[in-house]
């Protein structure tokens, strides 16, 4: 059976361009994953348009912090009605990143994810759900004591629920309550350097997620993201990758992970200093070493990217991953990147898809 494949897009371009981009990519991939960036274009509006245009879709990722999982459940169920046969909707969910941290107070974010998974699944089943069962969400969203929620329509195609995260508690939630786990390679513990430690299952936390799987649950879907920046202009592709890497390694919480897998901690500290000095993303990106860029994002021309993507795919497959996606930033020009992925990258890494474009 052909491994499922997707592409992750960011909601920074115009909506019409993003939908056209997704449709072009869907000619060779199963799922167009859209990031949920609250102050950018709305993820559910984009997913609905993409689904109506014939794409399989997913959030990669959304979060319950600052959002109401009752509304999230209804939005996802509505989008599932627009999907063509043979396409899937997957709701990827996590605790939220830097933007969420800047906007909202986080009260027990891992528990909020667990409750959101349980609440959405119960609503999709048609059950009358007692909201008192979800105290963390209730406190955050002011659910009325004794309130009961139930969707007013049947959900014939319940979405899949997959979790992204790198800490032991969120990984245990993924294994215990979700259908699958998303692992993006731009996280230090999921990078090529992590594979090369020879202890990937331990370093990445994959063992934690698998150990939490209930005996009566199905196999945990393992979805690996290969973060890529591709362009005919090698320097532009690498500069775009450098910007994304700066946003990752500028977070001191990830420095112990960089150290665990032997990556350039001194450069990461310099990146953080650039942010602190007010140099912005451009100034911070200029301080990213090649070690960090090459460790976290595959960047360059199609000829540069093909062997590196194939290597990372094979390393992940050896650890049990059976589904993949090409993740952001994709490239300095999203339209060019999509065309290169469709015509020159994906058909070489996944040759069984060569005739689909």
């Amino acid at each position: 059976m052909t491994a499922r494949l997707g592409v992750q897009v960011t909601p920074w371009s115009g909506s019409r361009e993003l939908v056209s981009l997704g449709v072009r990519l869907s000619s060779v991939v199963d799922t167009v994953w859209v990031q949920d960036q609250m102050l950018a274009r709305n993820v559910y509006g984009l997913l609905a348009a993409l689904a109506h245009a014939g794409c399989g879709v997913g959030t990669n990722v959304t979060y319950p912090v600052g959002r109401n999982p009752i509304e999230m459940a209804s939005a996802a169920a509505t989008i599932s009605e627009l999907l063509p046969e043979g396409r899937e909707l997957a709701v990827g969910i996590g605790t939220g990143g830097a933007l969420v941290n800047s906007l909202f107070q986080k009260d027990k974010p891992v528990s909020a994810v667990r409750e959101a998974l349980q609440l959405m699944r119960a609503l999709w089943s048609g059950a009358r759900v007692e909201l008192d069962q979800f105290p963390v969400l209730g406190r955050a969203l002011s659910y009325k004591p004794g309130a009961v929620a139930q969707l007013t329509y049947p959900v014939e195609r319940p979405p899949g629920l997959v979790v992204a995260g790198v800490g032991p508690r969120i990984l245990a939630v993924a294994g215990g309550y979700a259908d699958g786990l998303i692992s993006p390679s731009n996280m230090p513990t999921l990078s090529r350097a992590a594979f090369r430690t020879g202890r990937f299952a331990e370093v990445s936390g994959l063992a934690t997620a698998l150990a939490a799987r209930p005996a009566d649950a199905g196999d945990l879907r393992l979805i690996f993201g290969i973060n890529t920046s591709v362009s005919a202009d090698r320097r532009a592709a690498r500069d775009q990758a450098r910007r994304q890497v700066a946003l990752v390694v500028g977070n001191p919480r990830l420095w112990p992970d960089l150290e665990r897998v032997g990556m350039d901690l001194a450069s990461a500290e310099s990146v953080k200093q650039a942010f602190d000095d007010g140099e912005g993303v451009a100034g911070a990106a200029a301080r990213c070493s090649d070690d960090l860029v090459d460790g976290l994002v595959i960047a360059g021309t199609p000829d540069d990217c093909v062997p590196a993507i194939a290597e990372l795919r094979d390393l992940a497959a050896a650890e049990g991953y059976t589904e993949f996606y090409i993740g952001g930033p994709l490239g300095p020009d999203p339209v060019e990147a999509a065309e290169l992925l469709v015509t020159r990258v994906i058909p070489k890494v996944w040759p069984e898809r060569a005739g689909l474009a």
Side-chain angles (χ1 to χ4, degrees):
M1 184 176 67
T2 302
R4 295 187 66 83
L5 180 64
V7 171
Q8 179 193 50
V9 300
T10 56
W12 300 114
S13 302
S15 298
R16 291 181 183 276
E17 180 179 303
L18 286 167
V19 173
S20 296
L21 194 73
V23 170
R24 179 64 176 126
L25 290 164
S26 73
S27 64
V28 293
V29 303
D30 305 296
T31 305
V32 179
W33 297 95
V34 181
Q35 291 182 357
D36 184 0
Q37 298 285 354
M38 186 171 286
L39 299 181
R41 289 157 183 86
N42 181 265
V43 66
Y44 298 107
L46 289 172
L47 293 185
L50 287 163
H52 192 255
C55 304
V57 293
T59 59
N60 190 354
V61 294
T62 189
Y63 35 83
V65 179
R67 296 204 181 279
N68 189 334
I70 296 175
E71 187 175 22
M72 293 164 66
S74 182
T78 302
I79 293 165
S80 74
E81 296 180 340
L82 300 173
L83 288 171
E85 289 299 321
R87 296 289 195 176
E88 178 195 38
L89 166 60
V91 177
I93 188 168
T95 58
L99 178 60
V100 173
N101 291 339
S102 71
L103 294 174
F104 301 103
Q105 295 287 343
K106 281 187 176 182
D107 176 27
K108 299 183 177 179
V110 174
S111 295
V113 170
R114 174 181 54 77
E115 290 187 5
L117 295 171
Q118 294 171 304
L119 175 55
M120 289 191 288
R121 200 185 299 278
L123 289 171
W124 292 334
S125 76
R128 295 182 75 252
V129 182
E130 296 177 2
L131 297 183
D132 289 346
Q133 297 176 10
F134 307 96
V136 174
L137 295 178
R139 285 193 300 272
L141 297 164
S142 300
Y143 290 162
K144 186 176 180 179
V148 175
Q150 183 177 26
L151 293 182
T152 60
Y153 57 98
V155 181
E156 297 180 0
R157 299 173 64 183
L161 287 167
V162 294
V163 167
V166 294
R169 293 184 61 228
I170 192 68
L171 288 165
V173 166
Y177 297 93
D179 300 310
L181 174 67
I182 296 173
S183 301
S185 68
N186 65 345
M187 292 290 103
T189 55
L190 299 165
S191 64
R192 280 188 285 187
F195 286 107
R196 290 168 180 169
T197 65
R199 300 178 291 111
F200 179 81
E202 172 196 344
V203 169
S204 66
L206 179 59
T208 299
L210 295 173
R213 197 71 177 156
D216 59 349
D219 290 341
L220 187 68
R221 292 174 60 178
L222 297 180
I223 306 166
F224 193 80
I226 303 174
N227 291 88
T228 300
S229 178
V230 63
S231 173
D233 183 334
R234 177 182 288 108
R235 181 173 179 177
R238 292 185 63 80
D239 285 347
Q240 186 71 9
R242 208 173 292 276
R243 292 175 66 88
Q244 169 137 344
V245 170
L247 294 170
V248 174
V249 303
N251 180 357
R253 292 181 183 178
L254 295 177
W255 292 354
D257 293 338
L258 287 172
E259 198 165 24
R260 286 179 74 191
V261 299
M263 297 187 71
D264 186 356
L265 186 57
S267 178
E269 293 170 345
S270 181
V271 168
K272 173 64 163 54
Q273 189 61 53
F275 281 121
D276 290 345
D277 292 343
E279 297 179 21
V281 176
R287 300 198 193 187
C288 280
S289 67
D290 287 337
D291 174 75
L292 290 177
V293 174
D294 293 329
L296 300 180
V297 176
I298 292 170
T301 66
D303 289 342
D304 297 325
C305 292
V306 164
I309 292 172
E311 177 198 9
L312 200 47
R313 176 207 58 195
D314 292 346
L315 288 168
E319 296 290 342
Y321 289 89
T322 58
E323 304 181 37
F324 303 90
Y325 67 89
I326 305 295
L330 293 189
D333 179 344
V335 174
E336 179 208 26
E339 194 63 25
L340 292 175
L341 288 171
V342 169
T343 60
R344 296 185 55 188
V345 175
I346 289 173
K348 290 187 177 179
V349 182
W350 288 274
E352 66 274 16
R353 295 176 179 271
L356 301 179

